[in-house]
Amino acid sequence: MGLKILEQHQSFGGQQIKYSHESAILQCEMTFSLFIPKKTEEQKAVPLIWFLAGLTCTDDNFSQKSGFQKYASENGVAFVMPDTSPRKIEEDSPDWDLGQGASFYLNATQEPWKRHYQMYDYLTKELPEIVYSLVPNFSGQESIMGHSMGGHGALVIGLKNPERFQAISAFAPISNPMNVPWGQKAFENYLGSDQSNWENWDAAKLVEKTGFKNSPILITQGSKDNFYEIQLNEAAFLAGAKKSHTCVTYQIEKEYDHSYFMIATFIEEHIKHHVNIIK
């Protein structure tokens, strides 16, 4: 595993720690960040929330820009922030929305991506076992959230693993990637041209097929998000949720954009949503 601490910071009584390790699944070095809340005498079990970041991001964006640590520490929850893609590898693209920083949290089947781009397996098989060992008094209860491409990842991974994740939320998610330019580009390159394979990684298709009965899914979208109309439209996802009788709380927030200013504004609400379910 070769786990190394790269950074460690005190924050609101808790510890914000950045790690690196050698990933067997991705066949490269990976980083992730972990927040451990402050210890209290009453805190006997610590639940875990996963946050998946968006296109071009790393594990640093959420940890440094969202201000989540205050609310996580107050509520006694740990947070883990994986990186968005494999790093320090040859496979890449000159385009900012493909390759490193743009994994779409799936398992690639096409060359040259399939050797390293197995992010779904990494997040569901390898990284959890590492993180569980690092969270003191881990309760075994988990939930997942994300932003943009990471919102897509949170929806897909949560919907595929309802026995593991008790709650799902997202900020401005790509909820129907197979029908928008970002998703079509990624899916064509990572998964090939057969669109029947794309459906396995499309949240709108998954929520229609499987539903999510654990709890309502919370989604926050800014009305002034410049990606909203073309990349982030919610219609297909909400229609799929309606067919499977999945409860979705979808909030359009006036004047907010796609940035971490929006996330910082509403992160307390999202954390409370998760805490009310997983605790």
Side-chain angles (χ1 to χ4, degrees), residues 159-225:
L159 288 167
K160 283 178 173 284
N161 298 275
E163 73 290 342
R164 176 179 164 195
F165 296 106
Q166 296 173 274
I168 305 170
S169 75
F171 298 92
I174 307 170
S175 60
N176 184 208
M178 64 184 294
N179 287 314
V180 303
W182 278 342
Q184 290 168 344
K185 181 176 183 176
F187 285 8
E188 178 79 26
N189 280 273
Y190 297 146
L191 302 173
S193 58
D194 185 351
Q195 294 195 11
S196 64
N197 295 327
W198 296 11
E199 294 185 2
N200 296 321
W201 304 101
D202 187 290
K205 295 294 185 181
L206 287 172
V207 76
E208 181 178 343
K209 288 180 181 179
T210 69
F212 190 73
K213 308 304 181 186
N214 295 353
S215 58
I217 297 173
L218 173 62
I219 297 177
T220 301
Q221 171 67 55
S223 68
K224 285 197 172 181
D225 187 326

Side-chain angles (χ1 to χ4, degrees), residues 23 39 85 108 126 153 185 194 207 227 229 270 272:
S23 168
K39 295 179 181 179
S85 66
E126 183 176 11
K185 181 176 183 176
D194 185 351
V207 76
F227 301 117
E229 292 293 341
H270 278 244
K272 286 181 177 178

Side-chain angles (χ1 to χ4, degrees), residues 25 33 44 48 95 230 240 267 273:
I25 286 178
S33 294
K44 294 183 179 180
L48 177 66
D95 300 336
I230 295 176
I267 189 61
H273 170 78

Side-chain angles (χ1 to χ4, degrees), residues 58-96:
T58 71
D59 53 306
D60 290 334
N61 292 74
F62 183 71
S63 65
Q64 296 178 9
K65 294 181 178 181
S66 70
F68 82 93
Q69 290 93 345
K70 178 178 187 293
Y71 311 112
S73 211
E74 288 174 351
N75 288 281
V77 293
F79 261 82
V80 59
M81 293 131 275
D83 200 352
T84 49
S85 66
R87 308 278 178 176
K88 299 180 180 179
I89 58 175
E90 293 181 2
E91 289 80 1
D92 202 6
S93 165
D95 300 336
W96 65 272

Side-chain angles (χ1 to χ4, degrees), residues 22-62:
E22 291 294 328
S23 168
I25 286 178
L26 303 182
Q27 300 182 55
C28 64
E29 183 182 61
M30 291 294 290
T31 63
F32 66 93
S33 294
L34 181 66
F35 179 75
I36 305 297
K38 63 183 177 183
K39 295 179 181 179
T40 66
E41 292 182 2
E42 300 82 15
Q43 185 86 10
K44 294 183 179 180
V46 178
L48 177 66
I49 300 175
W50 292 72
F51 184 91
L52 306 185
L55 287 164
T56 76
C57 294
T58 71
D59 53 306
D60 290 334
N61 292 74
F62 183 71

Side-chain angles (χ1 to χ4, degrees), residues 55-56 84-85 96-105 117 149 186 190:
L55 287 164
T56 76
T84 49
S85 66
W96 65 272
D97 54 357
L98 184 69
Q100 294 184 41
S103 74
F104 273 76
Y105 301 103
Y117 279 67
M149 179 190 71
Y190 297 146

